[in-house]
């Protein structure tokens, strides 16, 4: 097999795995109606994803060093297939929590493995190329899922949209392609060392992780709460479009971010995030679909354009030979942002209404941005110890 295809096969697998994560997004309101639940229940089920992510990133960030990169990606693909199949047959919020947990485990395994595997497959000392492949494929995937489901529902409203079947077919194909990839760490996969390796944290991981924390909190808000807000205004069918805009459009800005210093890229993204959220909140409170979609696009440029690529690049450059564990630490902070602030916001929505919830979340973003800018002097290029 042509070695030039290796990175493309892996990129396709990463796209499939991340597509499965949010493919149910436009159906959240329907799942809640099937169970008779409110916004809080939806956000809790949504955040079960992080219950799967966190333990894996905390304790198994170095799993691929032990069992091999390829096996880890194959496990992740298997979990994506299982979770999607589960939601096809049981379209309920309570089952969504189980599926999201499985997707969380799979995505965490992928996140802790993808960058290191891509670097090894490309076989270059230039980590920027590998980081670009990883961020591009995952950015497309996270947004492609809800977009595919929205298109499917526009043609035919059902609890079992065609997008789910398309994903399953793609996952099976991807499994075959990944099976053909070479194992890049056989000497490590055959060792008797412990599989349990905590994430690696240096100052760069903490700072860049803080940036992605507040960014993915905003993304989580768009994915889990905005669909319910749109549904109350009779605009539920546009939820997938807003989710897609909030994620995949960031890919358009990654070529710009790639040319910037990682710290500068992250700072630009954070500065874009604040007005983008203000527009999002205004649009949601005033049922202005155009404002919501524009805000989602701007948030995507911030979260998945400048901050995601800049942060992952900065973390990778600073981690030395601890790239897999540093990536695990970075994504651990990202997924904590993806869940904890979102759950509290859902609680506030149910208890005090949309307006108070959006104001509270905006204050959280502002404080987070101020802390990051005040602490940027902590960043120094340092190399990880063995």
């Amino acid at each position: 097999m042509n070695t030039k295809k290796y990175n493309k096969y892996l990129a396709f697998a990463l796209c499939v795995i991340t597509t499965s994560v949010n493919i149910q997004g436009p159906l959240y309101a329907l799942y809640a109606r099937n169970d008779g639940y409110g916004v809080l229940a939806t956000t809790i089920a949504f955040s079960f994803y992080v219950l799967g992510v966190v333990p894996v990133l905390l304790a198994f960030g170095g799993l691929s060093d032990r069992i091999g990169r390829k096996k880890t990606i194959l496990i992740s693909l298997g979990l994506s297939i299982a979770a999607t199949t589960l939601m096809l047959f049981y379209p309920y919020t309570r089952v969504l929590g189980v599926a999201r947990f499985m997707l969380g485990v799979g995505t965490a395994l992928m996140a802790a493995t993808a960058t290191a595997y891509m670097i090894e497959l490309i076989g270059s000392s230039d980590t920027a190329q590998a980081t670009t492949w990883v961020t591009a494929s995952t950015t497309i995937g996270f947004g492609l899922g809800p977009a595919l489901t929205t298109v499917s529902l526009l043609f035919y409203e059902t609890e079992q949209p065609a997008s789910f079947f398309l994903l399953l077919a793609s996952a099976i194909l991807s499994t075959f392609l990944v099976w053909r990839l070479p194992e890049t760490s056989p000497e490590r996969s055959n060792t008797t060392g412990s599989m349990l390796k905590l994430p690696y944290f240096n100052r760069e991981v903490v700072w860049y992780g803080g940036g992605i924390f507040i960014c993915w909190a905003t993304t989580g808000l768009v994915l889990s709460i905005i669909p319910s807000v749109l549904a109350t205004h009779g605009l539920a069918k546009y939820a997938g479009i807003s989710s897609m805009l909030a994620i995949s459009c960031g890919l358009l800005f990654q070529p710009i971010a790639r040319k910037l210093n990682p710290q500068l890229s992250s700072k630009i993204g954070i500065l874009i995030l604040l007005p983008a959220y203000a527009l999002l909140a205004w649009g949601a409170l005033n049922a202005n679909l155009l404002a919501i979609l524009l805000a989602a696009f701007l948030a995507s440029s911030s979260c998945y354009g400048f901050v995601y690529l800049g942060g992952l690049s900065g973390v990778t450059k600073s981690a030395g030979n601890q790239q897999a564990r540093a990536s695990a630490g970075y994504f651990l902070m990202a997924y904590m942002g993806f869940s904890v602030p979102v759950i509290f916001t859902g609680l506030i929505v149910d208890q005090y209404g949309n307006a108070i919830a959006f104001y509270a979340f905006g204050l959280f973003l502002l404080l987070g941005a101020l802390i990051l800018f005040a602490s940027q002097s902590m960043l120094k290029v340092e190399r990880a110890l063995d």
Side-chain angles (χ1 to χ4, degrees):
M1 183 174 61
N2 188 343
T3 56
K4 293 182 179 180
K5 294 183 179 179
Y6 289 163
N7 59 338
K8 296 178 182 178
Y9 289 175
L10 178 58
F12 180 57
L14 302 183
C15 184
V16 168
I17 292 166
T18 50
T19 296
S20 69
V21 171
N22 296 317
I23 199 167
Q24 324 88 1
L27 297 172
Y28 284 170
L30 183 149
Y31 295 157
R33 286 199 303 270
N34 287 348
D35 279 324
Y37 295 152
V39 175
L40 178 60
T42 299
T43 57
I44 291 175
F46 173 82
S47 297
F48 264 65
Y49 175 72
V50 178
L51 292 182
V53 168
V54 171
V56 173
L57 292 182
L58 278 176
F60 294 92
L63 179 63
S64 67
D65 291 331
R66 169 69 185 274
I67 70 172
R69 313 289 194 211
K70 182 168 70 173
K71 289 180 182 178
T72 306
I73 296 297
L74 287 172
I75 293 172
S76 183
L77 281 167
L79 288 168
S80 296
I81 292 172
T84 303
T85 303
L86 185 63
M87 293 312 302
L88 269 175
F89 291 100
Y90 301 98
Y92 300 97
T93 299
R94 58 184 183 273
V95 180
L96 176 64
V98 177
R100 293 286 294 174
F101 176 82
M102 296 168 65
L103 290 167
V105 172
T107 307
L109 291 174
M110 177 214 71
T113 307
T115 304
Y117 198 11
M118 189 67 76
I119 290 172
E120 292 160 1
L121 286 176
I122 293 175
S124 171
S125 58
D126 181 11
T127 61
Q129 184 182 5
T131 301
T132 298
W133 274 99
V134 172
T135 55
S137 57
T138 54
T139 297
I140 292 173
F142 281 126
L144 184 60
L148 288 175
T149 298
T150 294
V151 172
S152 299
L153 294 176
L154 288 176
F155 282 99
Y156 182 68
E157 292 191 12
T158 175
E159 296 176 345
Q160 299 174 321
S163 58
F164 281 43
F165 296 98
L166 177 61
L167 174 65
L168 290 174
S170 299
I172 293 171
L173 172 61
S174 181
T175 299
F176 170 75
L177 294 177
V178 171
W179 192 269
R180 299 182 65 195
L181 291 179
E183 177 52 71
T184 57
S185 57
E187 71 284 351
R188 282 171 287 184
S189 63
N190 294 327
T191 61
T192 58
S194 174
M195 290 189 296
L196 303 180
K197 292 186 178 180
L198 294 176
Y200 173 80
F201 287 97
N202 57 18
R203 288 174 290 180
E204 278 72 16
V205 175
V206 173
W207 193 87
Y208 289 117
I212 202 66
F213 180 95
I214 63 173
C215 282
W216 279 25
T218 306
T219 302
L221 182 83
V222 174
L223 296 182
S224 65
I225 293 178
I226 292 298
S228 298
V229 174
L230 290 174
T232 62
H233 299 296
L235 301 171
K237 63 182 179 180
Y238 297 104
I241 297 177
S242 66
S243 298
M244 183 272 292
L245 288 173
I247 301 176
S248 292
C249 289
L251 183 64
L252 300 174
F253 297 86
Q254 288 186 4
I256 301 174
R258 197 177 306 128
K259 297 178 182 179
L260 301 175
N261 174 275
Q263 184 181 0
L264 177 60
S265 178
S266 296
K267 288 162 65 177
I268 290 174
I270 294 167
L271 290 175
I272 295 173
L273 179 65
L274 297 178
Y277 175 75
L279 181 61
L280 176 71
W282 182 86
L285 294 176
N286 292 277
N288 189 312
L289 179 62
L290 181 60
I292 292 175
L293 297 181
L294 177 58
F297 174 81
L298 292 173
S300 181
S301 72
S302 165
C303 302
Y304 285 89
F306 294 101
V307 176
Y308 183 26
L309 180 60
L312 188 57
S313 178
V315 165
T316 302
K317 288 180 179 179
S318 73
N321 63 352
Q322 300 288 354
Q323 290 169 344
R325 291 174 59 207
S327 294
Y330 178 73
F331 281 105
L332 174 63
M333 296 186 68
Y335 285 115
M336 289 299 292
F338 204 55
S339 61
V340 177
V342 175
I343 291 176
F344 279 104
T345 304
L347 175 62
I348 297 173
V349 168
D350 278 353
Q351 294 293 322
Y352 303 104
N354 290 334
I356 298 299
F358 280 109
Y359 290 143
F361 191 89
L363 179 60
F364 154 75
L365 286 186
L366 180 60
L367 290 175
L370 291 175
I371 291 172
L372 286 170
F373 276 90
S375 61
Q376 60 184 301
S377 61
M378 71 186 289
L379 288 178
K380 293 181 180 178
V381 177
E382 59 182 16
R383 188 164 184 82
L385 297 176
D386 293 344

